[in-house]
Amino acid sequence: MSTTSIDSLQHEERRFPPSEEFAANAVASSGLYDEARADRLAFWAKQSRELLHWHKDFTQTLDWSNAPFAKWFADGELNVAYNCLDRHVLAGNGDRIAILWEGEPGDSRSISYAELTAEVKRAANLLTKLGIGKGDRVAIYLPMIPEAVVAMLAVARIGAVHSVIFGGFSAESIRSRVDDASAKLVITADGGWRKGKVSALKPAVDAALAKEGTHTVENVLVVKRGENDVDWVEGRDLWWHEAIADVDAEHEAEAFEAEHPLFILYTSGTTGKPKGILHTSGGYLTQTAFTHKNVFDLHPETDVYWCSADVGWITGHSYVVYGPLANGATQVLYEGTPDLPHPGRWWEIIQKYGVSIFYTAPTAIRSFMKLGREIPDAFDLTSLRVLGSVGEPINPEAWVWYREVIGGGKTPIVDTWWQTETGAIMVSALPGVTIAKPGSAQVALPGISIDVLDEAGNAVPVGGGGLLVVSEPWPSMLRGIWGDPERFKETYWEKFGTALFEKPKYFAGDGARLDEDGDIWLLGRVDDVMNVSGHRLSTAEIESALVSHPIVAESAVVGAADETTGQAVVAFVILRSDQSEMQTADEASALLRTHVSDQIGAIARPRQIFIVAELPKTRSGKIMRRLLQDVAEGRAIGDTTTLADTSVMQIISGQLGSTNG
Ligand code: WT7
């Protein structure tokens, strides 16, 4: 973070040594580092066998001969859902609670491993009955209700591939994802509870499928949650509760190859088209289970775990569904917004269920900080023993507040760096082992090789900034971009390339700095990707949404620093010449904010849109976003000498001073 206030420097210098409570974990965890250092592949093979049930054991741990296309545990066979469900029941833990679900309006459900297993078996039979088989793609567009977890696991159980689409995405976004993956089935709900009211979901699916062109969807399976009225397409639409009532309750999990695809999850890249990140089975489950157990020091018999992420993001896939369930954890699942019906709702939930491990994003922590500590102080949070952070760099002030106010000044905080592409946590302290350093994600996990390199591929000296790379393949790594192997190679592997005799390294897209202790500090993205509230957005995607509106001639989007959300979307728009007269800048800006929201989803709606007469461009026509970022962040404008027309920035800032100032 660039916030170098005196306050932040003071916090940065603070060190938090591990407490006594974690002594046992410290010994075990240091052993993991030693083992991994001695033989990385043997380490992962051992972890995989210890953490998972393999229907057929593997003989080869890693095949990297066709780099960058990795195969982990390739000749082994397993069933991911069996690992998350049946085996816990068979081990005598069927009565253990898997999900403590809390609906926004205050309704709740508690679901044991035996019950969840039974529900997934029936859902698996239902999917089969609907003609879904091994390898078929199923799109899931659901609120945070238990059926979201059931649907994902049922798809996995029959060897189909899920593509979960975050409930905040628009019809347009649904359709492009459904088309890209050729999904045969969509699982949705009438609506879900959000911000104190029912927010409809099915209409977006209906609109997506009504768009022109042919699509591959045969059925839409609808969970009843919102009780809102919905339109119905006879022959296509089915109510989940009706359809599941008449299927068989027994279902035997078949084993699939370790590299069988598990899911596709779309994320924003540097172009206008989201990429379908592909994850497979054995390696993904190994690393999500390993990290969930060790990063959070999980004791499944006694811990109550809560990750606040939505299943529509990778955090929800890895740390709501697969990691925790593979480990037999008991977890809270919450449907709604953090502040309803009162601003202490989250803390009330922690108190109600005795949550001991809590994992959330810095944006949430910063919003609570703003509201003041009186709100969390009114609840008993003493059950908490490990806190996690993910999604963006956490500024030291927020880190210290999180530990003092939420963690009662005693809990370790694990700041976990990873990505949709990495599938699981890669860089994090281990509670009880690492001396915590607020603001730093700290060190690579056992079995993970991270380097910070300069543009030429050389290691940066201590204190220096560079680019974060993963230097060795890892079990939960993405296996590709759905339907686009070239983009996969280009985006991640060519920068620190496949030169002769050199092993390809994964380029993460993040800047990082190494300090004198070897700790890693993340410095944010170095590409045209923004991070808003821990969610990834692409400048190009928002720009193309803007220019798709008839009043827009040109647009440029930047991520500007934002006190709460980390970054915020700020757009600069040139209107078509026949339009500038038609409406005021404020009207145009309001219209376009809504348009972006309709095109992509509410999370992409710009915080501000500036209507301008010019955009700063180099002689070759490239927009200099850096200068726009200066404007958006209210800074003095940087070096403009490479602009084709050096007066442009004066025009823009002069104009903004008068119209938007
Ligand atoms: C990008 C990945 C991984 C789950 C949520 C986001 C940023 C993530 C941290 C962290 C600093 C972080 C990076 C990364 N990021 N965690 N602990 N410290 N930055 O997943 O949408 O794939 O975004 O989020 O910039 O590249 P994602």
Side-chain angles (χ1 to χ4, degrees):
M1 298 289 290
S2 56
T3 44
T4 41
S5 62
I6 292 182
D7 199 25
S8 132
L9 287 175
Q10 277 166 355
H11 286 315
E12 239 174 66
E13 278 159 17
R14 289 179 69 178
R15 296 292 175 267
F16 298 84
S19 71
E20 283 302 311
E21 244 181 277
F22 287 89
N25 183 49
V27 175
S29 299
S30 335
L32 295 176
Y33 287 113
D34 294 341
E35 276 177 47
R37 220 172 287 126
D39 188 340
R40 200 174 60 89
L41 294 182
F43 165 81
W44 282 121
K46 179 174 167 219
Q47 286 301 329
S48 189
R49 291 188 176 107
E50 272 178 24
L51 291 162
L52 305 183
H53 172 85
W54 287 88
H55 274 71
K56 177 174 168 260
D57 193 18
F58 51 88
T59 59
Q60 189 187 27
T61 302
L62 169 69
D63 177 358
W64 192 226
S65 59
N66 187 30
F69 298 92
K71 287 189 180 145
W72 282 85
F73 317 120
D75 60 346
E77 289 179 11
L78 80 170
N79 183 291
V80 168
Y82 178 93
N83 270 281
C84 293
L85 301 164
D86 312 46
R87 69 167 169 145
H88 302 313
V89 178
L90 294 171
N93 295 320
D95 290 339
R96 185 186 295 165
I97 300 301
I99 296 176
L100 293 160
W101 178 74
E102 182 84 6
E104 193 184 80
D107 47 342
S108 60
R109 281 166 74 184
S110 118
I111 304 169
S112 69
Y113 271 93
E115 288 164 339
L116 189 64
T117 305
E119 200 55 24
V120 170
K121 285 182 174 179
R122 294 200 311 158
N125 283 325
L126 171 58
L127 295 179
T128 309
K129 195 176 147 195
L130 293 176
I132 306 300
K134 182 177 173 184
D136 285 341
R137 275 80 59 204
V138 176
I140 297 177
Y141 186 69
L142 283 172
M144 283 289 280
I145 53 177
E147 284 78 5
V149 179
V150 172
M152 289 164 76
L153 290 171
V155 169
R157 189 173 183 95
I158 61 169
V161 181
H162 58 71
S163 162
V164 181
I165 304 168
F166 173 59
F169 279 125
S170 65
E172 200 77 45
S173 298
I174 298 172
R175 179 57 184 267
S176 67
R177 285 157 174 76
V178 159
D179 283 350
D180 188 74
S182 310
K184 255 174 109 169
L185 173 73
V186 180
I187 306 178
T188 188
D190 47 1
W193 282 84
R194 198 87 205 143
K195 301 188 176 159
K197 56 180 181 11
V198 171
S199 153
L201 287 166
K202 185 169 186 285
V205 173
D206 290 339
L209 300 183
K211 283 187 192 301
E212 59 191 68
T214 49
H215 59 74
T216 43
V217 174
E218 290 167 11
N219 289 107
V220 176
L221 196 50
V222 189
V223 178
K224 202 179 200 106
R225 163 63 184 155
E227 308 279 343
N228 47 314
D229 286 338
V230 288
D231 291 341
W232 210 251
V233 177
E234 281 313 321
R236 185 196 74 180
D237 299 349
L238 299 155
W239 284 111
W240 169 286
H241 64 276
E242 286 175 9
I244 209 164
D246 44 61
V247 291
D248 199 358
E250 247 338 291
H251 184 273
E252 202 182 322
E254 185 191 332
F256 299 102
E257 324 80 81
E259 284 297 340
H260 186 65
L262 179 60
F263 66 85
I264 306 167
L265 184 60
Y266 287 84
T267 189
S268 298
T270 52
T271 72
K273 187 176 180 283
K275 26 187 191 182
I277 303 298
L278 174 68
H279 282 287
T280 60
S281 305
Y284 173 80
L285 201 62
T286 297
Q287 197 176 327
T288 50
F290 171 78
T291 50
H292 182 256
K293 173 170 184 274
N294 292 287
V295 170
F296 300 111
D297 182 40
L298 176 82
H299 295 271
E301 315 76 31
T302 48
D303 275 315
V304 177
Y305 163 83
W306 181 18
C307 166
S308 70
D310 192 285
V311 291
W313 309 107
I314 191 68
T315 312
H317 283 62
S318 302
Y319 298 106
V320 174
V321 182
Y322 294 109
L325 295 177
N327 289 334
T330 295
Q331 70 175 318
V332 169
L333 192 74
Y334 175 53
E335 180 186 34
T337 28
D339 52 354
L340 281 165
H342 58 81
R345 182 69 185 274
W346 271 16
W347 319 122
E348 183 183 52
I349 292 173
I350 290 177
Q351 171 180 287
K352 174 174 175 186
Y353 294 109
V355 172
S356 54
I357 305 172
F358 183 53
Y359 192 28
T360 194
T363 291
I365 301 163
R366 288 191 292 264
S367 329
F368 286 121
M369 249 175 106
K370 275 198 186 157
L371 297 177
R373 66 175 296 160
E374 303 70 40
I375 294 166
D377 279 352
F379 298 91
D380 178 5
L381 305 180
T382 52
S383 54
L384 288 169
R385 51 177 211 92
V386 179
L387 298 177
S389 170
V390 63
E392 25 164 353
I394 176 163
N395 48 314
E397 295 93 323
W399 195 106
V400 170
W401 187 90
Y402 194 24
R403 181 176 156 116
E404 301 293 332
V405 177
I406 306 305
K410 65 178 171 65
T411 55
I413 294 181
V414 284
D415 177 0
T416 62
W417 178 89
W418 59 293
Q419 307 176 303
T420 305
E421 291 87 341
T422 71
I425 299 171
M426 303 291 278
V427 177
S428 171
L430 291 184
V433 189
T434 323
I435 296 178
K437 207 182 260 185
S440 166
Q442 304 206 282
V443 289
L445 289 181
I448 300 297
S449 311
I450 300 279
D451 283 305
V452 181
L453 305 181
D454 64 19
E455 284 284 339
N458 303 310
V460 297
V462 166
L467 303 170
L468 193 79
V469 305
V470 188
S471 342
E472 299 283 353
W474 64 101
S476 63
M477 66 197 286
L478 75 166
R479 299 304 199 264
I481 293 177
W482 187 259
D484 203 345
E486 278 316 306
R487 189 173 178 191
F488 170 63
K489 286 193 247 176
E490 237 171 69
T491 311
Y492 305 106
W493 302 96
E494 269 169 14
K495 188 161 183 73
F496 297 111
T498 25
L500 203 56
F501 303 126
E502 210 205 334
K503 288 183 290 178
K505 292 174 179 157
Y506 171 85
F507 169 53
D510 278 289
R513 175 169 68 84
L514 273 184
D515 71 13
E516 56 289 352
D517 305 321
D519 282 321
I520 300 164
W521 296 75
L522 274 308
L523 304 174
R525 303 287 303 195
V526 296
D527 50 11
D528 291 332
V529 166
M530 280 173 283
N531 189 324
V532 177
S533 306
H535 299 312
R536 204 200 291 194
L537 294 171
S538 137
T539 53
E541 200 181 342
I542 302 174
E543 284 165 5
S544 58
L546 284 166
V547 296
S548 76
H549 197 285
I551 68 169
V552 175
E554 248 188 286
S555 79
V557 167
V558 297
D562 184 280
E563 228 181 88
T564 306
T565 59
Q567 286 190 309
V569 180
V570 175
F572 295 80
V573 167
I574 304 180
L575 296 183
R576 293 166 63 117
S577 50
D578 54 338
Q579 288 294 328
S580 341
E581 309 289 294
M582 308 271 291
Q583 50 218 319
T584 66
D586 285 350
E587 284 163 0
S589 146
L591 182 72
L592 293 173
R593 289 179 71 230
T594 308
H595 177 68
V596 172
S597 178
D598 291 346
Q599 288 285 304
I600 303 174
I603 49 159
R605 183 194 296 128
R607 182 186 73 185
Q608 286 161 295
I609 295 183
F610 295 122
I611 307 298
V612 294
E614 305 267 7
L615 288 172
K617 289 185 185 152
T618 60
R619 267 166 280 266
S620 60
K622 194 174 176 304
I623 293 174
M624 292 188 70
R625 288 199 180 72
R626 178 173 59 73
L627 298 175
L628 293 173
Q629 202 154 8
D630 290 340
V631 175
E633 294 179 356
R635 258 196 313 274
I637 288 156
D639 184 10
T640 57
T641 49
T642 53
L643 282 180
D645 174 357
T646 49
S647 64
V648 164
M649 287 316 292
Q650 279 160 0
I651 298 173
I652 292 177
S653 27
Q655 197 193 353
L656 298 183
S658 57
T659 59
N660 289 286

